[in-house]
Amino acid sequence: MTTVRLHRWDEIALEKITEMISQKIVAGEREMLAQIYLKRGALVPMHAHESEQMTYVLQGALKFLVGGEEMVVREGEVLHIPPRVPHQAEALEDTLELDVFSPVRSDWLRDDDRQAANQQ
């Protein structure tokens, strides 16, 4: 039997990914919600993953390159990225956004992204 759990963003530690990107994560068995903070000019390099992704911009703006197409996602907009589609993002402004992933990005839970960023 699974347990119901209440999460409070203000009680979750902010994890620094790079000098320009920080995040907070809440994960269940099959989906993950991440609150991402990007400083203006932050770049999330081109990548792809098995997870379906929904990105909801709460404040700011992100320029995405998805499947060869460039698009700007602004406050109040949601971008759906299907599984295995290559994409990158650049913060055009200081940005706060929510990412929903299904299935869970196990690489984020293992801290692979932070370790790779610190080795560069």
Side-chain angles (χ1 to χ4, degrees), residues 8-69:
R8 292 182 178 87
W9 285 120
D10 60 353
E11 294 176 359
I12 298 171
L14 184 63
E15 299 177 54
K16 184 174 166 182
I17 306 303
T18 70
E19 290 300 317
M20 304 286 281
I21 303 171
S22 300
Q23 70 182 13
K24 296 180 179 188
I25 295 174
V26 174
E29 287 183 38
R30 289 182 237 145
E31 63 186 358
M32 170 186 286
L33 179 62
Q35 195 177 68
I36 313 287
Y37 303 85
L38 302 102
K39 293 180 183 176
R40 183 179 184 201
L43 180 66
V44 178
M46 187 64 71
H47 66 285
H49 42 74
E50 292 299 313
S51 300
E52 182 174 24
Q53 176 177 340
M54 296 279 191
T55 296
Y56 174 32
V57 176
L58 299 169
Q59 297 173 337
L62 297 172
K63 179 172 67 173
F64 279 87
L65 183 59
V66 182
E69 182 182 344

Side-chain angles (χ1 to χ4, degrees), residues 86-99:
H87 57 283
Q88 74 177 32
E90 178 184 356
L92 300 177
E93 307 170 13
D94 289 346
T95 300
L96 169 61
E97 54 107 340
L98 291 175
D99 283 335

Side-chain angles (χ1 to χ4, degrees), residues 17-18 112-120:
I17 306 303
T18 70
D112 291 353
D113 288 344
R114 279 180 287 289
Q115 290 174 16
N118 291 332
Q119 291 173 0
Q120 294 179 359

